Amino acid sequence: MSHAYRLNDEVLHRGQGPQGRVHLDVPKVYTIIQRMPVEADGRLRYRIKSDKIERVVTEDELSYCQ
């Protein structure tokens, strides 16, 4: 399984609420700063960063910027 996004790609992150419920907020633009190893659950993860926020997210929470 390979990562869909590369380092320094700009992506949109769709935040998720409790229990995976999707927020209605507008997706925010982040930059991929690291591709993480595949976890035991098989999902691909990335470390992303915006101006002041850095987080680790799964690939299914991301989409390409248009």
Side-chain angles (χ1 to χ4, degrees):
M1 186 176 283
S2 65
H3 291 81
Y5 304 101
R6 295 175 288 162
L7 294 180
N8 299 316
D9 279 354
E10 288 191 345
V11 294
L12 294 175
H13 174 252
R14 297 181 306 277
Q16 292 186 344
Q19 305 296 322
R21 291 185 294 254
V22 176
H23 281 261
L24 298 177
D25 296 341
V26 176
K28 297 178 182 168
V29 177
Y30 288 83
T31 303
I32 303 285
I33 60 171
Q34 183 180 4
R35 296 192 295 186
M36 308 294 286
V38 177
E39 294 287 329
D41 62 5
R43 296 189 298 172
L44 298 171
R45 289 180 169 75
Y46 298 85
R47 182 174 299 278
I48 59 175
K49 184 176 182 179
S50 70
D51 294 329
K52 298 178 182 177
I53 300 171
E54 189 173 314
R55 57 178 36 149
V56 174
V57 298
T58 58
E59 190 168 275
D60 59 339
E61 296 176 50
L62 302 175
S63 62
Y64 284 108
C65 287
Q66 297 294 330

